Amino acid sequence: MNGLLSVWPQAWTRKQRSSATIALAVAVLVAFLWLLAIPLALVPDPIGPAAQEFAEGARVTVQLTLVSGLVGVVLGVLAALAKLAPFPPLRWVAGLYIWVIRGTPLLVQVLFVFLALPMLIPGIQLSDFNSAAAALAVNVGAYNAEALRAGILAVPKGQTEAARSLGLSPAQTFLHIVFPQSFKIALPPLVNNLVALLKDSSLAYVIGVVELSNVGNRVQAATFQPVPVFIATACIYLFLTTVLTQISGAIEQRLDVEQRS
């Protein structure tokens, strides 16, 4: 589904339509986050009186997603490279990281970082937000690693051989030839991971992060009206994931993931 990409003039190039879509979607997202309290205040109880809390919770959810998502991409790149490294211990460490993180529930990981990590490493004291961001980043990083590793392996070996024959060093070959192509190949699953991360950030409520799900739980506990509260919460999540999907789809189009002309 093209979404916003289809509203622009057909005479525009693919890159022009993609850039316009990204700009519009980002503007809509920013406006939504900062003006959300205004329409919610017009909704009957129990939503209206808690409009400001819902708006602030939505902003915290997006902040948590962006911070952990960016760190998760970095961790994914490092883990993918380590798993492909010629040095066996690096491959073992990366494989252990991916195996453990993908094989344990995210809820357990969030609680581990918040409650257990300070006991294991006394010098570390993370806030509830930083603990949630760290756990989410480590989690999504493991999934990103497998997507990026598959992308790197999908780049034809002839590309590397041609670059080396032209005198490029291994580092230059990877940075300028292999990684750009592998990132384009891995972009669709990376985007899916980011959208899933937005929804998974709701688990941060268990350690006290006042994000969207936490706000919804507090309001329904105070008013004993779960139906309107959870419908409003779901609608906000749906809007956020829709806008994020539009942005990511436009980025895929701009990078020409499927090698279209």
Side-chain angles (χ1 to χ4, degrees), residues 115-173:
L115 298 175
L117 193 60
M119 298 180 65
L120 296 175
I121 309 176
I124 293 182
Q125 283 296 335
L126 299 176
S127 65
D128 52 2
F129 181 91
N130 290 337
S131 296
L136 290 168
V138 170
N139 181 272
V140 76
Y143 290 91
N144 288 344
E146 287 296 88
L148 288 164
R149 183 178 69 88
I152 293 172
L153 293 176
V155 176
K157 290 185 178 180
Q159 299 279 342
T160 301
E161 295 171 354
R164 295 303 304 277
S165 67
L166 292 174
L168 273 67
S169 67
Q172 290 174 324
T173 300

Side-chain angles (χ1 to χ4, degrees), residues 32-61:
F32 177 80
L33 292 176
W34 290 108
L35 301 176
L36 177 60
I38 297 175
L40 286 181
L42 304 176
V43 180
D45 291 351
I47 306 302
Q52 193 60 47
E53 288 82 356
F54 276 105
E56 182 60 31
R59 288 193 285 268
V60 172
T61 292

Side-chain angles (χ1 to χ4, degrees), residues 45-81:
D45 291 351
I47 306 302
Q52 193 60 47
E53 288 82 356
F54 276 105
E56 182 60 31
R59 288 193 285 268
V60 172
T61 292
V62 173
Q63 292 170 5
L64 191 59
T65 302
L66 293 178
V67 171
S68 55
L70 290 174
V71 177
V73 170
V74 175
L75 290 177
V77 172
L78 295 177
L81 293 178

